[in-house]
Amino acid sequence: MDRLVITGCKPLEGEARVSGAKNATLPILAACLLTDESCLVRNVPHLHDVTTSIALLSGMGVRVTLSDGMGVEVDASAVDNVHAPYDLVKTMRASILVLGPLVARFGEAEVSLPGGCAIGSRPVNLHIDGLTAMGADIRVENGYIRARAGRLKGARIVLETVTVTGTENLMMAATLAEGTTVIENAAREPEVVDLAHFLNRMGARVQGAGSDTLVIEGAKRLHGTDYEVMPDRIETGTYLVAGAITGGRVTLKNVRHGTLDAVLAKLEEAGAGLAYGEHSITLDMRGRRPRAVDIRTAPYPAFPTDMQAQFMALNTVAEGASTMIETVFENRYMHVQELERMGADIRVQGNVAVVRGVERLTGAPVMATDLRASAGLVLGALVAEGETEVDRIYHIDRGYECIEEKLGQLGARIRRIPE
C-alpha cells in the first residue's frame, strides 16, 4: 500500500486550488441515470470514489467519457441492466444513490447493501421506507435490495433522522414520480442543494433545497444538461486547518466560503485571521500557536462531522484544553490512538473527547482508519517534530485529490512512497 512520509514543523505558505466536491459529484453522477440524454458534469475531482462510481455506471451500460480538463460526459441512453454488484458497492456507501434513479426511470433495481468507511452505522432503511411510500415493492434478500415499481407516486415522507444520502435518493426518485412529493426533515447540506440545482437544470421541479422541507413536482422525463460541481468545502476546511496548525499563511482558490460558516467561525476562535475574496479565502495564523476550541458535530448548518478529526489534530497542539462531542457517528474517534502515538493528550469517554494541548507532537508511524481520520493524521504530522509515516492512505485517496501535491504547493515537506 502507498504511504505518505511527512517531515513536520514547517509553517505552510502559498496558494492551492480546491477541487470539486466529492459528496456532490457522486449523487450528480447517479442522477444522470434519470435521463436518456447526455449530461456533461464539470469540475469532477480525480478520486478513487469517483472512479468507483464511473465503473458502477459503466457496468450498467452507461457510456462515460472523460472530456477535456475536469469534465465527465455521461450518456445513460443504453442502460442494459439495473444491477449494482457487491464487489463495487462494498467499497463505497454512496453507491446506494443509484437505487432511486433506477427505480424511478426503469421501474426496477437490484443494489447490493453498501459498505465503505467503518465509522458507524448508516442504515438504508430510510431509503427503503421512502421508496415504499412512493409505491415501490422492495425486498432485502441475500445482501441485495431488490425493488420493483410501475411509475412511482408522489408521497409525503417524514424522515425519522436527517440523512444526506437518503434525502438525495428520494429527491432523485421523486423527480420522475407522478404527482408531488414532500420530504420533511430533509438534509440541508450544500451538496444536497447542488444536486437539486443539477436536477432543476435537467428539467426537474425541486423547491426548498437548503431547508428542511423539499417539494418535488414529478415530471414525465428529464433532459441532459451541462453543469459544474461545487467546490469541496471539506477539502477547503482541511487545508485551512493545515495553515492554522502550522502557524502559516495560506490562500485557497475556487472556494464557496458561504458553505463553511461553522468551520470558519471556529478557525477565528482559534486565533486565525481570515480574508475573503470572491472565490478565495486567505488564512493567516501569524506564526502563533492556535487556541483550543470546543467542537460539537451535528448536521448542517452546524459543525460538520467530516471536520472533527482535523480540528482534533489542531486541538492537540493548541493552547488550553477542549471538549469535542461527536453526535453524528458513534465510531469516529479511531484516529485518537494514532494521534496519541505522536504524543497527543486525549481522553475519550463515549462520544466525548477531552483534548489537552501539548507543546509539540513527535513523528511516528501511524495508520489511517477512514477518510477524515487520515486527514487528521496528516495535519498532525505537519506540525510534529521529525518524520511521520502515514500508512493505508488509500482512505485519503477516496476524498482528497493529489493531497501531497497540494500540500507541497503550500510548502509542506511531504512525499508519497508507492507500494
Side-chain angles (χ1 to χ4, degrees):
M1 298 180 188
D2 289 5
R3 63 188 188 277
L4 292 176
V5 178
I6 302 164
T7 303
C9 290
K10 184 178 187 296
L12 299 190
E13 186 169 350
E15 296 183 354
R17 182 187 182 279
V18 173
S19 300
K22 180 197 83 157
N23 289 339
T25 299
L26 300 181
I28 285 173
L29 290 176
C32 295
L33 287 165
L34 291 165
T35 179
D36 60 1
E37 296 182 12
S38 178
C39 295
L40 180 59
V41 185
R42 303 180 188 272
N43 200 31
V44 173
H46 297 291
L47 299 171
H48 188 269
D49 275 7
V50 173
T51 301
T52 300
S53 183
I54 289 172
L56 180 64
L57 294 174
S58 298
M60 296 175 182
V62 178
R63 187 165 65 248
V64 182
T65 307
L66 302 182
S67 65
D68 57 331
M70 294 170 287
V72 175
E73 186 174 358
V74 184
D75 182 350
S77 60
V79 170
D80 55 15
N81 79 82
V82 292
H83 179 73
Y86 172 71
D87 285 348
L88 285 175
V89 177
K90 70 179 181 181
T91 67
M92 186 182 72
R93 295 195 63 89
S95 302
I96 191 70
L97 289 166
V98 301
L99 177 63
L102 287 174
V103 174
R105 182 173 162 213
F106 300 102
E108 59 179 334
E110 187 177 74
V111 180
S112 172
L113 291 169
C117 286
I119 57 173
S121 174
R122 293 188 277 189
V124 298
N125 63 294
L126 299 180
H127 305 240
I128 293 171
D129 291 347
L131 289 171
T132 300
M134 298 169 71
D137 177 21
I138 300 180
R139 294 173 295 154
V140 179
E141 53 189 14
N142 304 121
Y144 279 83
I145 303 168
R146 293 185 168 91
R148 299 288 184 273
R151 187 180 180 190
L152 295 174
K153 307 292 185 182
R156 177 175 175 265
I157 301 168
V158 181
L159 296 173
E160 181 180 333
T161 58
V162 176
T163 163
V164 173
T165 54
T167 299
E168 291 168 339
N169 231 340
L170 298 175
M171 176 169 60
M172 288 188 284
T175 61
L176 292 179
E178 181 181 352
T180 301
T181 299
V182 178
I183 303 174
E184 298 186 24
N185 199 28
R188 301 164 59 186
E189 272 72 4
E191 296 80 9
V192 176
V193 177
D194 211 36
L195 173 62
H197 290 334
F198 176 73
L199 293 170
N200 286 341
R201 289 278 289 272
M202 295 173 73
R205 290 163 286 192
V206 180
Q207 295 180 324
S211 75
D212 61 3
T213 302
L214 296 174
V215 180
I216 306 104
E217 185 180 347
K220 288 187 176 180
R221 66 183 303 272
L222 300 181
H223 55 71
T225 191
D226 182 331
Y227 191 80
E228 182 169 318
V229 176
M230 66 175 284
D232 196 312
R233 63 190 174 103
I234 304 302
E235 183 186 17
T236 303
T238 299
Y239 293 139
L240 289 175
V241 174
I245 197 173
T246 62
R249 186 180 190 277
V250 301
T251 297
L252 301 181
K253 297 187 173 181
N254 186 41
V255 304
R256 288 188 192 171
H257 31 77
T259 64
L260 277 165
D261 290 344
V263 171
L264 297 175
K266 288 297 177 180
L267 285 168
E268 289 184 320
E269 188 180 329
L274 297 173
Y276 301 97
E278 185 178 0
H279 300 293
S280 67
I281 301 177
T282 297
L283 176 143
D284 191 349
M285 204 64 185
R286 304 180 184 90
R288 296 195 299 257
R289 182 183 180 187
R291 295 190 294 267
V293 292
D294 294 333
I295 298 292
R296 181 185 182 90
T297 68
Y300 191 86
F303 190 91
T305 182
D306 280 355
M307 285 299 302
Q308 176 256 107
Q310 297 90 315
F311 268 81
M312 181 175 285
L314 179 79
N315 280 333
T316 63
V317 295
E319 182 180 349
S322 59
T323 300
M324 308 190 69
I325 304 173
E326 173 60 58
T327 73
V328 180
F329 294 122
E330 69 272 19
N331 195 25
R332 206 160 200 180
Y333 284 145
M334 291 188 289
H335 46 284
V336 168
Q337 288 184 326
E338 302 303 303
L339 288 170
E340 288 176 334
R341 289 173 52 80
M342 302 170 70
D345 183 353
I346 308 170
R347 297 292 179 268
V348 175
Q349 185 169 0
N351 68 335
V352 178
V354 176
V355 185
R356 293 178 174 83
V358 297
E359 288 288 337
R360 62 184 60 84
L361 299 178
T362 54
V366 294
M367 183 177 66
T369 53
D370 64 69
L371 171 54
R372 304 309 173 184
S374 307
L377 298 180
V378 169
L379 295 181
L382 291 174
V383 76
E385 287 187 344
E387 191 172 87
T388 299
E389 284 195 11
V390 184
D391 201 2
R392 295 178 66 183
I393 61 168
Y394 61 85
H395 289 294
I396 295 177
D397 294 335
R398 290 185 52 228
Y400 290 92
E401 183 178 35
C402 305
I403 190 170
E404 70 275 16
E405 293 180 17
K406 292 188 180 184
L407 286 174
Q409 291 170 13
L410 299 175
R413 294 173 289 190
I414 178 172
R415 67 186 190 277
R416 179 182 292 256
I417 306 297
E419 183 179 8

